[in-house]
Amino acid sequence: MKLRHALMGAACTLALAPAAFAERGSDGQVNIIYWQAPSTMNPYLSGGTKELEAASLVLEPLARYNQDGSMVPWLVESIPTVENGGVSADLTSITWKLKPGLKWADGSPVTSKDVKFSWEYCTAEGGGCAQSEKYNDVANVETPDELTVIVRFSVPKPFPYGPFVGAQAPILQAAQFAECMGPKAPECTDANFYPQGTGPFTVSDFRPNDVIQLIANPNYRDPAKPAFATVTFKGGGDATAAGRSVLETGEFDYAWNLQLAPDVLAGMQAAGKGEIISGFGTLVERIMVNFTDPSPDLGDRRATVDHPHPFLTDIAVRKALSMAIDRELLTEIGYGDAGRPTCNVLPAPEIYKSSANDACLVQDIEGAKKVLDDAGWVPGADGVRVKDGVRLSLLFQSSTNAVRQDFQALIKQWWSEIGVETELRNIDASVFFGGDPGSPDTFQKFFADVEMYANNFDGTDPEAYMANWECSQIPSPETQWQGNNMPRYCSDEYDALVAEMATTGDINERARLAKSMNDMLMQDYAIIPLVDRGRVSAHSNTLGGVVLNTWDSELWNAADWYRIK
Amino acid sequence: MFDAPPKKLVEVSGLKMHFPIHAGLLQRRVGEVRAVDDVSFDIFEGETLGLVGESGCGKSTCGRAILRLYDITAGSIRIDGEEIGQTSQHALRPRRPKMQMVFQDPQASLNPRMSVARIIGEPLDEHTDLSRPQKLERIYELMDAVGLNRNFANRYPHEFSGGQRQRIGIARALALNPKFIVCDEPIAALDVSIQAQVVNLLEDLQDRFGLTYLFISHDLSMVRHIADRVAVMYLGKVAELAPRDALYATPLHPYTQALLSAVPEPDPSIENRRTHIILTGDVPSPANPPQGCNFCTRCPKVMEMCHHLDPVMREVQPGHFVACHLHDPEHAKTAGQTAAPEATKSIQQGD
Amino acid sequence: MFTYTIRRLLIAIPTLLFISLIIFMVVTLAPSDPTANLPLSIPSEVRAQIRASLGLDEPIWVRYLLWLRQFFWYEPLHMLDSAFGWSLATPDMQRILSWQTRSPVADLIVQRMPQTLWVVGTSYVVGVLIALPIGIISAYRQYSWFDQVGTFVSMVGFSVPTFFTGVLLIVVFSVQLGWFPSIYDTTHQVRDFGSFLFQVKQMIMPVAVLALYNAAQISRFMRASMLDNLNQDYVRTARAKGMSERVVVLVHVLRNSMIPVVTVIALGVPTVFGGAIITEQVFKVNGLGQLLIIAIQGGDVPTVQTLTFIFAVLIVLFNLIADILYGLLDPRIRYD
């Protein structure tokens, strides 16, 4: 990690040096490959990562996160805080000051009206804006002058950096999208495919789910950037092919998200044409433990709080399940350098990372057995532990994915060693993660005893993420099975912490609260974290200026990219 | 029978047609089917030689081999004085007009995608340089000759009945004025009511154009009707060859006797009195014929020597050839006693 | 023949309507969700809003009827408008929009057509051109070494999946030798000889992979059909007539053998339009096949429904064409 940081630092300095002398467009063409093809350039109409990142070449937010997860001003002069007066003391408003002289690619000026419009666009009724959560609790956006934007919240917002921050909430040009509000949004195909932006590039040809051609934005704020005159952004195929095209054939300069077996990646890198880069964010592969009884006998009320789980409500069982897992081995097999074992569901940023649970890093089969023995679970004739006629027999579900099925098999083996019987099940991702209330196989319905998937949060603030495990977030028939509290974890103490965080502005205090919520979940074994999954991408040896950023779009600094000659 | 100085139009001697059998992983040649095994006979100009035998005895193969539709294994074939036994297919083509064939299945032997006029006219394109009107005239002539309505010239074979199709096949065979026609079971696929018409047509054409026929059939009564001489084949060999009346009156070979005894007699009173010679067993495989005489496995009069020695073809009476040890003069002393009464009996039956 | 064609076309209408209903039900009732691929960080209320904006909260029969109206009425009007500059379609006549891209499905299809026809179409033509002579010679020289090699190659072409041959070619010719690009450039335009050469280079590998597969199938068919006919009596008749071997094989045998093969080739044409899902994916050709698979993965019902239905139309149409061809080629078949 140290070496990687050093290299990144070196890359940064290199990026700055030539940029000062280079001319816009002097480095010709850069080729980017995303093995999932973007389907639109309007991130508000598609929440997909691929669309967000493609759009980030064109559309920009007021502020975004850098590679360290720190917020940096982008279209504004500075980050407003309570200290500098940008955020009101009662935490209900934030005032952004646009940089003067900003222009859209078509040459028209960027004004506060555009910023306000972006909020109106995303919150318009019937538009189906995928990022509307970013604008939660925004009561109004005021534009006292061309360059000033005041966002007023209906409640105190200790973390007021949701609207207009990060790749998810960029600024749209009001003139272009004025006719595309609400239900009309999808009809504006031209605007959605060819948005006017402030970013370093502008779209010249968009072929949905295939390829995007971009050219340097003639009105980009830095006259020397971008170094590349044109960008080809190819989509489609698979991660192997994308990796091959950068690392082995050199046809492409940058390949995104190479989720490949560690040895495959190493083999590709050996060809010597490019370099693999990785970084860690907040994505954690975890096992959710169901506190409710998913038995089909319960009919409509299965997997609801009406029926507590027959044995997973026993903390000894949950603890033993966690202790029996060898997270080191899982990481090595599934992710190599792109993963690291973790004992927290909130692994980053650094100030939120708890170290109270690190004991789980070492597998302890004997310890797990002892925990079960002490709790009165004794092995039956077939080796499966029983107590009061209840057998420790689990249904373990996950989405269909080669790595997840490997993990399932390994975990089943370890659990059998401690006397827990496991039945495995995998479900197609589009069903598992699809919110169809009619399907019994969604991860929200959780008609199983434990389930495994990965999740993270946008940006660096964990408030909304940690609020996932409030009692009110429990999916149930009453909520059409919507909600993020998959374990059906419910604790007044936890809810109190969530409420406290919602009104706390001090960063250190927020960190303390987030950590204690994390520790509470961990020590209750409601969630069994496994691997902190990083992002792996690759760039060719001739592409300079790449700084991998897991907190924002990977292409966040494409303006600084250049050709190493 | 043949008092006129006979001119031999077709001379076949020692004709062998063996088909290789490939088997095993590497498709090695492991043996051969001796479909025709050392057959010799002559056909005189203007006569009809009937070739009879059970299914699978090699008579059709023999007919095709004579016309060199196969590349023969051994032997000599002279047609009209020209040796064609080993001639290449290419060199053979200009000679094809002289020798033609009428096939068994009139449906299958006509190209379904060609009109009658094209089927009949195609050989004219290939072998003559007639102008289009001349060709058309010739086609109509041929259609008239076989009794087909000229208006049907542009129809396709499937639009005709079986008998009509066979007429098309015959017209086609006649197109180039052949001398020699092999009729390979020409009536086997036809209704009985049509058979006589076609046979009569063949006889009629023979008279008009002076044709020579090799008439292959398993239908002994039809052969008796049309043939001048008859050859009986068994398992790839000719067992007996004789003028028609002699063969039907005094069959010498036990196989011929058995065959003839199987021909039903229309008169029930005679039919009831007849003794049928029932052959037992199956025809041996031509891939693995028995040692000695071909027929020894099924012959009702089999002798010890039949199992060792292949009988040769002998002329036992003028023009009457038979390949059987019973009629071998060297064994006549021993075999004659048993054979004679049988022969007489057969003669009586034949009447 | 004309009345037959008209009758068949009329029968096709209820057939296709029924097919469209079946496709709609299958696609709609299948458990998939257009928001399933979104990051989990997007909360479920937002997902519900997205689904509502896609019209997913309407009853199923409303969605079906709307789609029918869009496909058979609005889309043709829009097409006429853009072709002749008319304005038949009013703004409230909403075209069929893809859920993923929010753009008209018809535009997507038009955009994908060139590369699919270039690559899959060429491979089909090449496949047929290779297959016919191989099939003919294999049958004519049955069990010869040529036939054995042909059989082996066909077996390989038929049984080795294209994702294997495709990747093999990429590893050899792109990675090791560096001759051909491993990623197809759909934006490439042929303007001069140099750009044509590039087009050929980028097409060689996908075309080779698909052509091998097509040729394997068709050559086996051609061979079987030739063998069927070579042993027919009329072939012997032709030989007995003294026809040259060329005439016997090319006129008598080949023409009769072509009847079923032409039908098979005609029936295979719709698969060209269907694209080659796997090969397109391997070489990143991004044609219709890739469009379909992405749409399926993304739960993009309008795109899947429209594409599948167009395939159904093509299949019905080419079945009719094959039947008519059969009638034209084979005098034994008459439809009147």
Side-chain angles (χ1 to χ4, degrees):
Chain A
M1 283 307 292
K2 284 218 175 89
L3 179 63
R4 187 150 50 216
H5 279 141
L7 282 174
M8 276 181 182
C12 287
T13 39
L14 274 174
L16 295 173
F21 306 101
E23 235 176 285
R24 176 176 296 161
S26 59
D27 281 351
Q29 155 113 358
V30 63
N31 295 317
I32 301 171
I33 185 161
Y34 271 46
W35 54 270
Q36 290 179 346
S39 55
T40 176
M41 287 298 273
N42 184 346
Y44 288 118
L45 288 188
S46 164
T49 313
K50 56 199 166 83
E51 282 85 15
L52 289 183
E53 304 219 342
S56 74
L57 290 170
V58 175
L59 299 171
E60 294 175 315
L62 297 181
R64 70 185 346 153
Y65 301 96
N66 69 7
Q67 70 272 24
D68 306 320
S70 319
M71 214 179 296
V72 286
W74 210 249
L75 295 178
V76 291
E77 299 276 13
S78 60
I79 301 292
T81 58
V82 179
E83 290 73 38
N84 66 19
V87 177
S88 66
D90 61 357
L91 305 175
T92 57
S93 76
I94 179 166
T95 306
W96 299 91
K97 285 272 185 197
L98 284 169
K99 285 180 184 169
L102 286 177
K103 281 181 179 161
W104 293 103
D106 62 6
S108 60
V110 178
T111 70
S112 51
K113 297 275 185 303
D114 294 310
V115 180
K116 178 176 182 177
F117 174 80
S118 304
W119 162 67
E120 288 167 343
Y121 178 83
C122 186
T123 50
E125 198 62 32
C129 176
Q131 308 299 349
S132 54
E133 204 213 3
K134 297 279 165 212
Y135 298 99
N136 268 359
D137 304 325
V138 175
N140 196 10
V141 176
E142 292 166 16
T143 55
D145 64 58
E146 293 271 282
L147 298 180
T148 310
V149 181
I150 304 171
V151 182
R152 296 208 183 277
F153 297 97
S154 53
V155 292
K157 276 273 174 182
F159 186 82
Y161 308 109
F164 315 123
V165 178
Q168 290 83 3
I171 311 302
L172 297 179
Q173 190 189 40
Q176 191 182 21
F177 284 89
E179 298 299 311
C180 310
M181 302 288 279
K184 289 201 149 327
E187 293 171 36
C188 296
T189 306
D190 270 355
N192 294 334
F193 286 179
Y194 300 89
Q196 287 294 333
T198 54
F201 297 98
T202 184
V203 184
S204 61
D205 184 14
F206 184 84
R207 301 188 182 200
N209 287 339
D210 179 16
V211 64
I212 312 166
Q213 308 258 55
L214 302 104
I215 52 171
N217 175 357
N219 289 306
Y220 189 61
R221 52 190 174 274
D222 184 338
K225 289 177 181 175
F228 289 105
T230 54
V231 180
T232 294
F233 189 111
K234 175 84 180 180
D238 52 274
T240 318
R244 188 187 295 128
S245 69
V246 169
L247 296 170
E248 291 189 304
T249 68
E251 289 165 84
F252 280 79
D253 294 303
Y254 190 86
W256 159 87
N257 195 13
L258 302 178
Q259 287 175 2
L260 294 171
D263 53 324
V264 172
L265 270 180
M268 285 183 178
Q269 189 163 21
K273 292 233 160 95
E275 191 186 335
I276 294 168
I277 46 176
S278 60
F280 288 90
T282 56
L283 188 64
V284 172
E285 187 80 30
R286 79 283 298 276
I287 292 174
M288 295 292 190
V289 178
N290 197 344
F291 280 66
T292 61
D293 190 349
S295 163
D297 306 338
L298 301 172
D300 286 349
R301 305 309 299 172
R302 69 190 287 206
T304 65
V305 286
D306 299 358
H307 300 281
H309 197 278
F311 57 85
L312 286 175
T313 41
D314 181 349
I315 188 167
V317 176
R318 302 198 298 269
K319 184 176 182 185
L321 292 180
S322 175
M323 287 170 77
I325 294 170
D326 184 348
R327 291 168 174 79
E328 288 279 357
L329 185 63
L330 290 179
T331 306
E332 194 184 316
I333 285 171
Y335 299 99
D337 286 344
R340 50 191 181 194
T342 185
C343 294
N344 296 303
V345 75
L346 177 60
E350 206 55 39
I351 55 162
Y352 298 113
K353 188 177 166 187
S354 165
S355 55
N357 316 299
D358 288 353
C360 89
L361 290 176
V362 181
Q363 185 189 28
D364 186 2
I365 298 268
E366 290 312 314
K369 284 183 185 166
K370 187 166 183 312
V371 168
L372 289 173
D373 287 339
D374 294 349
W377 295 94
V378 289
D382 55 356
V384 178
R385 288 176 191 265
V386 190
K387 177 175 159 185
D388 304 333
V390 178
R391 290 176 84 235
L392 289 185
S393 177
L394 290 170
L395 175 62
F396 181 10
Q397 70 179 13
S398 188
S399 72
T400 309
N401 165 318
V403 174
R404 292 211 169 112
Q405 267 74 79
D406 283 352
F407 277 26
Q408 280 187 309
L410 283 167
I411 292 169
K412 175 179 176 160
Q413 171 61 28
W414 292 322
W415 285 351
S416 80
E417 285 176 33
I418 61 167
V420 176
E421 181 183 65
T422 314
E423 184 192 337
L424 300 181
R425 184 153 181 263
N426 65 79
I427 301 156
D428 187 83
S430 67
V431 176
F432 189 62
F433 296 120
D436 182 359
S439 166
D441 297 324
T442 65
F443 72 138
Q444 283 127 334
K445 282 201 177 166
F446 202 172
F447 289 166
D449 301 299
V450 288
E451 65 182 1
M452 175 170 65
Y453 61 94
N455 198 2
N456 65 342
F457 57 95
D458 293 332
T460 54
D461 183 66
E463 182 185 329
Y465 179 65
M466 297 314 287
N468 279 342
W469 296 286
E470 274 185 306
C471 298
S472 63
Q473 285 277 355
I474 294 175
S476 67
E478 290 73 34
T479 64
Q480 278 74 51
W481 297 99
Q482 303 301 329
N484 294 312
N485 189 348
M486 305 314 162
R488 286 89 162 112
Y489 179 77
C490 189
S491 147
D492 293 340
E493 197 186 338
Y494 189 89
D495 284 9
L497 288 171
V498 171
E500 190 183 348
M501 187 159 181
T503 54
T504 306
D506 179 64
I507 185 76
N508 294 318
E509 192 56 19
R510 289 174 71 79
R512 184 191 64 78
L513 288 167
K515 274 191 201 176
S516 48
M517 280 189 268
N518 174 71
D519 292 347
M520 202 166 186
L521 290 170
M522 295 305 99
Q523 281 149 25
D524 257 348
Y525 299 96
I527 298 171
I528 303 174
L530 302 173
V531 181
D532 177 11
R533 286 171 51 187
R535 176 66 67 83
V536 181
S537 294
H539 66 83
S540 77
N541 288 335
T542 62
L543 181 65
V546 176
V547 179
L548 185 64
N549 185 343
T550 57
W551 305 102
D552 205 300
S553 163
E554 281 191 28
L555 307 175
W556 69 298
N557 73 334
D560 301 332
W561 289 7
Y562 61 96
R563 183 68 67 199
I564 299 170
K565 300 205 170 72
Chain B
M1 191 59 231
F2 35 95
D3 20 71
K7 183 191 171 217
K8 290 177 179 172
L9 184 71
V10 179
E11 297 162 74
V12 177
S13 71
L15 178 65
K16 287 185 184 175
M17 185 66 234
H18 296 174
F19 296 102
I21 303 169
H22 297 282
L25 193 63
L26 299 172
Q27 292 290 297
R28 278 185 211 282
R29 186 178 165 139
V30 294
E32 54 204 3
V33 174
R34 301 182 180 182
V36 177
D37 197 18
D38 198 6
V39 163
S40 306
F41 56 80
D42 302 328
I43 307 174
F44 298 99
E45 194 156 14
E47 80 159 346
T48 300
L49 176 67
L51 185 59
V52 297
E54 295 169 85
S55 304
C57 72
K59 54 190 192 300
S60 282
T61 309
C62 181
R64 290 171 191 166
I66 292 169
L67 289 191
R68 285 295 319 280
L69 293 177
Y70 298 129
D71 286 329
I72 60 172
T73 311
S76 128
I77 302 163
R78 291 173 78 83
I79 293 185
D80 206 9
E82 266 185 297
E83 173 62 47
I84 60 163
Q86 301 301 330
T87 317
S88 75
Q89 290 292 347
H90 183 71
L92 211 54
R93 283 210 297 125
R95 300 190 188 138
R96 289 243 174 247
K98 252 194 261 180
M99 44 189 196
Q100 282 297 323
M101 185 148 186
V102 174
F103 292 95
Q104 171 173 4
D105 183 349
Q107 162 86 49
S109 61
L110 301 175
N111 188 332
R113 290 185 58 212
M114 286 189 174
S115 64
V116 170
R118 268 202 72 192
I119 290 172
I120 301 176
E122 205 188 17
L124 300 173
D125 299 339
E126 187 76 18
H127 296 286
T128 69
D129 40 17
L130 297 177
S131 67
R132 281 179 69 88
Q134 282 173 314
K135 271 187 229 166
L136 199 61
E137 194 43 49
R138 175 80 182 132
I139 291 165
Y140 286 148
E141 222 175 87
L142 288 160
M143 290 183 71
D144 292 344
V146 299
L148 280 172
N149 188 331
R150 287 183 174 207
N151 297 332
F152 294 167
N154 287 321
R155 295 205 176 171
Y156 288 91
H158 69 274
E159 293 168 280
F160 293 90
S161 69
Q164 285 173 314
R165 281 185 211 141
Q166 196 56 292
R167 288 169 195 268
I168 299 169
I170 294 168
R172 193 224 87 232
L174 290 175
L176 293 164
N177 289 319
K179 288 190 164 177
F180 173 51
I181 298 182
V182 173
C183 302
D184 183 4
E185 308 235 23
I187 52 171
L190 303 179
D191 283 355
V192 180
S193 58
I194 311 291
Q195 288 183 348
Q197 289 178 20
V198 172
V199 169
N200 288 338
L201 174 67
L202 286 170
E203 284 192 304
D204 182 36
L205 293 169
Q206 186 172 36
D207 292 345
R208 278 170 61 193
F209 300 114
L211 299 170
T212 304
Y213 288 149
L214 174 64
F215 191 92
I216 299 166
S217 181
H218 60 263
D219 183 342
L220 290 166
S221 43
M222 203 51 89
V223 170
R224 187 172 188 179
H225 175 77
I226 193 169
D228 300 309
R229 290 190 303 142
V230 178
V232 178
M233 272 187 85
Y234 181 78
L235 209 59
K237 296 192 185 224
V238 174
E240 187 166 3
L241 171 65
R244 171 189 55 191
D245 295 335
L247 185 100
Y248 281 85
T250 54
L252 297 181
H253 197 284
Y255 178 61
T256 317
Q257 291 164 4
L259 270 188
L260 287 176
S261 86
V263 178
E265 193 55 53
D267 183 347
S269 56
I270 302 176
E271 176 69 23
N272 287 343
R273 278 188 283 116
R274 279 176 2 132
T275 44
H276 292 274
I277 304 168
I278 309 292
L279 294 179
T280 52
D282 289 326
V283 184
S285 158
N288 186 20
Q291 279 251 306
C293 176
N294 263 343
F295 192 51
C296 66
T297 53
R298 300 169 79 199
C299 185
K301 296 164 191 168
V302 65
M303 302 176 292
E304 172 58 24
M305 66 180 305
C306 297
H307 290 289
H308 318 295
L309 212 59
D310 196 10
V312 290
M313 196 75 159
R314 286 169 215 284
E315 189 167 13
V316 292
Q317 285 158 29
H320 196 148
F321 299 85
V322 67
C324 180
H325 292 304
L326 288 171
H327 304 284
D328 188 337
E330 283 174 38
H331 303 284
K333 291 182 189 80
T334 49
Q337 287 152 359
T338 48
E342 285 294 329
T344 5
K345 200 171 158 195
S346 305
I347 291 160
Q348 286 157 353
Q349 283 169 354
D351 284 333
Chain C
M1 186 68 82
F2 182 73
T3 47
Y4 170 79
T5 310
I6 297 296
R7 198 173 69 233
R8 280 282 302 268
L9 284 173
L10 289 177
I11 294 171
I13 293 173
T15 313
L16 285 172
L17 279 176
F18 183 69
I19 292 175
S20 77
L21 179 65
I22 298 290
I23 295 175
F24 183 82
M25 293 315 250
V26 169
V27 173
T28 309
L29 298 181
S32 83
D33 177 5
T35 65
N37 289 337
L38 298 183
L40 294 180
S41 51
I42 292 181
S44 43
E45 308 87 72
V46 176
R47 287 166 195 264
Q49 283 168 20
I50 294 174
R51 279 194 289 270
S53 77
L54 297 173
L56 260 171
D57 47 357
E58 300 280 353
I60 210 164
W61 59 271
V62 172
R63 279 149 61 195
Y64 176 62
L65 292 181
L66 175 68
W67 180 85
L68 275 188
R69 199 164 62 176
Q70 286 176 327
F71 189 89
F72 288 105
W73 181 234
Y74 296 173
E75 282 294 337
L77 288 185
H78 279 283
M79 260 178 243
L80 289 173
D81 285 357
S82 65
F84 300 106
W86 301 340
S87 44
L88 298 170
T90 53
D92 62 315
M93 292 187 179
Q94 180 59 57
R95 305 181 65 180
I96 303 172
L97 293 183
S98 151
W99 285 352
Q100 281 184 304
T101 69
R102 310 296 183 94
S103 65
V105 174
D107 291 358
L108 294 177
I109 294 172
V110 168
Q111 204 168 53
R112 297 309 182 91
M113 205 67 101
Q115 48 262 38
T116 289
L117 288 188
W118 265 103
V119 173
V120 188
T122 311
S123 72
Y124 199 64
V125 172
V126 170
V128 170
L129 290 181
I130 299 173
L132 296 188
I134 290 183
I136 293 167
I137 300 174
S138 291
Y140 188 65
R141 303 234 175 277
Q142 197 187 3
Y143 304 134
S144 66
W145 67 265
F146 184 95
D147 184 28
Q148 311 278 13
V149 170
T151 306
F152 177 75
V153 172
S154 304
M155 204 117 83
V156 169
F158 202 62
S159 50
V160 177
T162 51
F163 59 78
F164 178 81
T165 36
V167 171
L168 186 72
L169 287 190
I170 286 178
V171 168
V172 173
F173 292 104
S174 295
V175 177
Q176 304 291 339
L177 298 172
W179 291 355
F180 309 123
S182 70
I183 288 170
Y184 188 93
D185 180 2
T186 45
T187 59
H188 180 72
Q189 282 172 338
V190 177
R191 283 192 214 85
D192 49 24
F193 183 71
S195 57
F196 175 72
L197 207 65
F198 179 80
Q199 178 66 14
V200 171
K201 274 172 90 175
Q202 69 170 349
M203 275 172 61
I204 282 180
M205 290 197 296
V207 167
V209 165
L210 282 175
L212 175 69
Y213 183 74
N214 289 328
Q217 268 180 309
I218 298 170
S219 73
R220 295 316 285 172
F221 214 83
M222 184 76 232
R223 178 178 179 272
S225 180
M226 281 289 286
L227 282 177
D228 272 356
N229 279 283
L230 270 171
N231 296 322
Q232 293 283 319
D233 283 354
Y234 73 82
V235 179
R236 199 173 288 122
T237 309
R239 292 218 173 94
K241 278 177 184 174
M243 296 292 122
S244 67
E245 209 48 28
R246 201 174 56 82
V247 172
V248 170
V249 175
L250 295 184
V251 176
H252 287 260
V253 183
L254 181 58
R255 288 210 185 152
N256 281 296
S257 311
M258 281 308 283
I259 297 172
V261 177
V262 164
T263 320
V264 165
I265 292 174
L267 288 177
V269 172
T271 62
V272 170
F273 289 89
I277 290 173
I278 291 167
T279 313
E280 285 187 0
Q281 197 82 344
V282 168
F283 293 97
K284 270 64 74 188
V285 176
N286 292 359
L288 290 170
Q290 190 255 8
L291 180 66
L292 180 63
I293 194 75
I294 295 252
I296 292 172
Q297 286 167 348
D300 187 351
V301 172
T303 308
V304 177
Q305 160 84 359
T306 307
L307 267 180
T308 334
F309 185 66
I310 289 175
F311 297 157
V313 171
L314 286 171
I315 288 168
V316 168
L317 193 68
F318 275 90
N319 260 298
L320 175 61
I321 290 175
D323 283 353
I324 292 173
L325 273 179
Y326 218 112
L328 291 176
L329 292 171
D330 191 337
R332 285 171 295 185
I333 292 168
R334 281 285 170 272
Y335 293 122
D336 292 328

